[in-house]
Amino acid sequence: MSIAAPELSPAGLRRVLAVLCVTEVTSWGVLYYAFPVLAPSIAADTGWSVGETTAAFSLGLVVSALLGIPAGRLLDRRGPRVLMATCSALAVPAVAGIALAGSLPLFFAAWVLAGVAMAGTLYPPAFAALTRWWGSRRVTALTTLTLLAGLSSTVFAPLTATLLGHLGWRDTYLVLAVVLGVITIPAHLLGLRGPWPAAEPSPATGTPDSIVRSRPFVLLVVAVGLGAFTAFAVVVNQVPLLIDRGLSTTAAAWALGLGGIGQVLGRLGYGRLAAIAPRPRAVLVLGVMALTTAGLGLLPGPVGLLVAVAMLTGAARGVFTLLQATAVSDRWGTEHYGRLGGILSAPAMVATAVAPWAGAVLAGALGGYPALFLLLAAVAVVAALLAAGTGVEHRGS
């Protein structure tokens, strides 16, 4: 007869949440948000084009997406401590390799290694850890994590820019590698201690393999992938759209920043949305994303209205992150959350990687950013329609 592992105490749960908030801010800041700040300097210094350096960065994200699936299986069995600490340790030489790369192939290789590290340090493993440890209170923990981790760009973009002004891009990445290692390795090793609790029994019937092949899961994967593509393409292309609408670069940047505030407000309200059943909640969130994106594509002004719609778009984007984090557990429980969550996240991460490039290409092909945003709104509509088919049958129903 097996004995269930004891649960973490309330203090232990708070410790885990605090650790993951700090390490997610740091990991996202160094492995993701530093690159957009440094990319122009990398290109100017090395002679590699911005497109080539961005391709290396995108390749790292794709690698992260693909490795997230086996990482999820490991999380289900062993918990997050060893995986996240190991990948944090691996991230240090990866970032150092980016800094020291003397050729474009070495730069690509370093980003591949960074992608391996990202698979075990960014949101998916953190979501899996909080979902299992916090159990029925996971929405509170996930909301807190995404609220604080949302400050990653606020902290690391200006920090990276300041370091760049004094050190150059290579030494900036070396300093960031040290920061990453000093903060995240001991935090994961010491802060994620504790018994890995037994998973909640799955409310839905079926084995993991049958769930992955089921119609609701396939539709959910596609819907989340399309939603992620829309969300990130909107973020990257919003400033040039608003400039086309007559806003100054400064005003357009402020609108994007206020969209970040909207993102925070949206996440704060997710607890109330969680009372809605998973399928209509997904349709609602993706539908609002479609409406706000279409609004940006259709409205010529005035400035105040455009900024208000930008904030609503940010709110929809913020809620979408939590929708993705809870989509598996709401339908199939936490028993196989790591594995199923890794499969769900993989296409979304690939969409995140290609959205900046694809958005710019599509804007050129369609004749401008307003047409691009209308296309993105249509993509979100398709995602909402697919989400309508993601209901599952529960035991006893």
Side-chain angles (χ1 to χ4, degrees):
M1 178 178 177
S2 61
I3 300 176
E7 295 183 356
L8 280 180
S9 66
L13 292 175
R14 291 193 295 271
R15 181 196 72 230
V16 165
L17 178 57
V19 164
L20 289 174
C21 285
V22 171
T23 59
E24 287 302 299
V25 167
T26 306
S27 297
W28 276 100
V30 175
L31 293 170
Y32 190 92
Y33 288 110
F35 177 77
V37 177
L38 298 176
S41 296
I42 296 172
D45 180 56
T46 60
W48 309 328
S49 70
V50 173
E52 288 172 329
T53 58
T54 302
F57 174 67
S58 296
L59 178 61
L61 293 174
V62 171
V63 169
S64 172
L66 295 176
L67 292 182
I69 298 172
R73 291 194 183 99
L74 183 60
L75 277 163
D76 285 335
R77 293 196 303 268
R78 302 290 186 180
R81 182 171 177 250
V82 172
L83 174 68
M84 298 192 78
T86 300
C87 287
S88 294
L90 189 62
V92 175
V95 175
I98 293 168
L100 300 174
S103 66
L104 190 59
L106 289 176
F107 189 74
F108 269 79
W111 272 110
V112 168
L113 186 60
V116 177
M118 284 189 278
T121 55
L122 297 187
Y123 271 152
F127 287 164
L130 292 180
T131 295
R132 182 73 73 88
W133 262 318
W134 278 70
S136 61
R137 293 170 291 166
R138 55 184 171 264
V139 171
T140 299
L142 292 169
T143 301
T144 302
L145 175 66
T146 55
L147 281 172
L148 293 178
L151 298 174
S152 182
S153 61
T154 306
V155 173
F156 276 88
L159 172 62
T160 301
T162 300
L163 291 172
L164 177 64
H166 291 86
L167 302 175
W169 76 269
R170 292 187 187 274
D171 286 342
T172 294
Y173 258 136
L174 289 174
V175 170
L176 291 176
V178 173
V179 171
L180 182 68
V182 168
I183 293 176
T184 63
I185 298 173
H188 286 146
L189 275 175
L190 301 176
L192 299 183
R193 293 173 292 109
W196 188 232
E200 298 174 2
S202 173
T205 58
T207 64
D209 288 338
S210 66
I211 290 172
V212 168
R213 294 191 300 268
S214 69
R215 182 174 179 270
F217 188 83
V218 171
L219 292 177
L220 184 65
V221 169
V222 178
V224 168
L226 293 176
F229 179 83
T230 299
F232 279 88
V234 166
V235 169
V236 173
N237 293 283
Q238 184 174 305
V239 168
L241 169 78
L242 294 177
I243 291 173
D244 281 355
R245 296 297 195 197
L247 277 68
S248 67
T249 301
T250 300
W254 270 104
L256 182 61
L258 290 172
I261 295 175
Q263 181 172 292
V264 170
L265 294 175
R267 287 173 179 171
L268 283 173
Y270 188 75
R272 294 185 178 182
L273 282 179
I276 303 173
R279 177 169 54 178
R281 188 195 321 154
V283 173
L284 174 63
V285 171
L286 290 165
V288 171
M289 184 184 294
L291 286 173
T292 56
T293 302
L296 288 175
L298 290 171
L299 292 171
V303 172
L305 183 57
L306 287 171
V307 171
V309 175
M311 289 189 69
L312 289 173
T313 304
R317 184 170 66 249
V319 171
F320 176 75
T321 302
L322 285 167
L323 179 74
Q324 180 179 344
T326 57
V328 168
S329 56
D330 284 346
R331 290 167 174 80
W332 296 284
T334 65
E335 188 173 2
H336 306 290
Y337 181 93
R339 178 179 178 182
L340 298 178
I343 296 171
L344 178 68
S345 298
M349 186 66 80
V350 173
T352 300
V354 303
W357 168 82
V361 171
L362 288 170
L366 295 169
Y369 288 96
L372 167 66
F373 273 64
L374 292 178
L375 176 62
L376 293 174
V379 171
V381 168
V382 172
L385 293 174
L386 293 174
T390 61
V392 297
E393 293 183 6
H394 289 174
R395 291 188 177 100
S397 62

